[in-house]
Amino acid sequence: MLFALMQLLGGIILSVGWIPQIIQIIRTKSVSDLSLKAYLLMLLGIGLMEAYALRLAADGTGLAFLITNTLSLAVVSTVVLLILRYRLPPSPKK
């Protein structure tokens, strides 16, 4: 029980840690210093761990892992979408 609580708390802290980056991107609309490749690799890794977390949760163990991993998947996906949004050239005005 204690270790599940530690995992849940640690995972939430790690996931919430991305929020300042997201706020900074939205505020400045700048992603020039961010590596899309690095974030895509993180997204792939988290996606693979998500499949494992789903398996653990289906077996009745690892609900905390599923919750925190899903949260991480959501915030890193948000960063990737923001990078794509702000890296694309603006559409020409007619």
Side-chain angles (χ1 to χ4, degrees):
M1 178 67 179
L2 176 61
F3 289 110
L5 183 59
M6 289 170 59
Q7 192 280 323
L8 183 61
L9 184 58
I12 289 171
I13 291 169
L14 287 172
S15 298
V16 169
W18 291 102
I19 293 176
Q21 180 69 65
I22 292 169
I23 292 170
Q24 181 74 13
I25 293 170
I26 292 170
R27 186 178 295 146
T28 64
K29 295 181 178 34
S30 173
V31 293
S32 60
D33 292 338
L34 298 179
S35 169
L36 179 60
K37 289 178 188 176
Y39 280 97
L40 288 173
L41 284 172
M42 280 190 275
L43 196 58
L44 176 62
I46 294 169
L48 292 171
M49 289 186 350
E50 183 75 0
Y52 178 61
L54 285 167
R55 173 74 169 133
L56 288 177
D59 289 342
T61 61
L63 182 60
F65 183 51
L66 177 62
I67 291 168
T68 58
N69 201 70
T70 302
L71 186 56
S72 291
L73 190 63
V75 291
V76 173
S77 294
T78 301
V79 173
V80 168
L81 290 173
L82 288 170
I83 290 172
L84 293 172
R85 177 179 180 190
Y86 291 121
R87 281 238 174 112
L88 293 177
S91 53
K93 294 183 179 181
K94 293 181 181 181

